[in-house]
Amino acid sequence: DAVTVLPSGKQSRIKEIVTFDGKLDHAFASQAVTLTLTDEIDASCGDWIVKSDNLPSESTVFRANLIWMTQQELRPGDNYLLHHGSSFVKARVKEISRRINVNTLERENADALPLNGIAEVVVEVTKPLFFDPYRKNRATGRFILIDLLSNATAVAGMIIDEVKPLDLLPSRLEGFVNGHITSLDRATRQRHRGAVVLLTGPNAAVLAAAL
């Protein structure tokens, strides 16, 4: 198999799969194995070895569902230590997109999250993080946030997806916030799909300006 080592991006191929009992023709999740590559590559603790045709997402901002697990309320802007896989990186909850009412399952606006509260949030980290959405890979799509003072686990989270830079632009309309809106969400709200009107002919520019 062709593999890529992250974050360096260097590529190689699997030469051998070695275990205490001998070499294997293949390996699967939950096995402890030693991989020998065809090239000399420096890979440290926390680095990823992934198939080159199935790379994870990479971003410093992602959207996630989480449950808040401490007495002090979660408020956007507070700093935490994010533990993801074997990596630790400083992080903060940039915004609480919506709180989920556990009794009605309705989504509500919220400025803070109490103990045992569940919400969809935007998380920002200080360096790029490699991950998969939780729905695709539970092992690489989950994380915890650790309180920097008490070392207590404050959050158990599941990554939804990376956040595109355009999603973070402020809205031009007062009182509205841009978010992760799919084409289906937009079509349902507007009651029609998006379309492009193409004007041709000698008066196309005049007609376009008038429209």
Side-chain angles (χ1 to χ4, degrees):
D1 283 337
V3 295
T4 300
V5 178
L6 299 174
S8 68
K10 293 184 177 179
Q11 298 182 339
S12 185
R13 288 187 176 272
I14 302 294
K15 181 179 180 181
E16 294 177 320
I17 303 174
V18 183
T19 69
F20 180 79
D21 298 321
K23 298 179 182 178
L24 302 177
D25 293 329
H26 61 273
F28 49 85
S30 79
Q31 284 185 298
V33 299
T34 297
L35 300 179
T36 302
L37 306 181
T38 57
D39 304 279
E40 289 285 342
I41 294 179
D42 182 19
S44 304
C45 180
D47 289 359
W48 287 35
I49 299 178
V50 301
K51 295 187 71 172
S52 297
D53 59 355
N54 189 21
L55 298 178
S57 299
E58 177 188 4
S59 181
T60 57
V61 187
F62 58 87
R63 199 172 299 277
N65 288 320
L66 59 78
I67 179 171
W68 185 246
M69 302 168 60
T70 63
Q71 290 289 343
Q72 184 176 354
E73 287 186 332
L74 166 65
R75 293 189 177 275
D78 292 342
N79 295 318
Y80 299 92
L81 189 65
L82 184 143
H83 183 197
H84 175 257
S86 58
S87 300
F88 291 87
V89 60
K90 289 185 178 180
R92 68 186 180 103
V93 175
K94 185 178 180 67
E95 68 176 46
I96 300 176
S97 302
R98 52 186 65 88
R99 182 174 59 190
I100 301 172
N101 189 312
V102 295
N103 297 315
T104 65
L105 298 184
E106 293 180 348
R107 304 194 173 205
E108 308 166 340
N109 293 329
D111 297 324
L113 197 65
L115 175 66
N116 294 328
I118 299 174
E120 179 184 318
V121 303
V122 174
V123 179
E124 186 175 32
V125 293
T126 54
K127 67 178 183 178
L129 197 69
F130 296 97
F131 58 84
D132 295 300
Y134 185 83
R135 65 179 183 277
K136 179 180 177 182
N137 190 326
R138 295 171 63 181
T140 57
R142 63 191 178 202
F143 67 95
I144 62 173
L145 292 182
I146 301 170
D147 188 285
L148 293 173
L149 297 178
S150 66
N151 287 327
T153 299
V155 158
M158 300 176 293
I159 298 174
I160 300 173
D161 207 348
E162 64 180 302
V163 173
K164 304 295 184 181
L166 288 177
D167 289 338
L168 297 177
L169 292 176
S171 174
R172 291 175 295 176
L173 301 177
E174 185 177 354
F176 286 82
V177 179
N178 288 332
H180 186 66
I181 301 174
T182 67
S183 57
L184 179 60
D185 293 334
R186 186 176 293 107
T188 301
R189 178 168 295 184
Q190 301 294 343
R191 298 187 178 89
H192 63 78
R193 295 183 179 180
V196 175
V197 177
L198 179 62
L199 302 177
T200 61
N203 294 323
V206 177
L207 290 173
L211 286 173

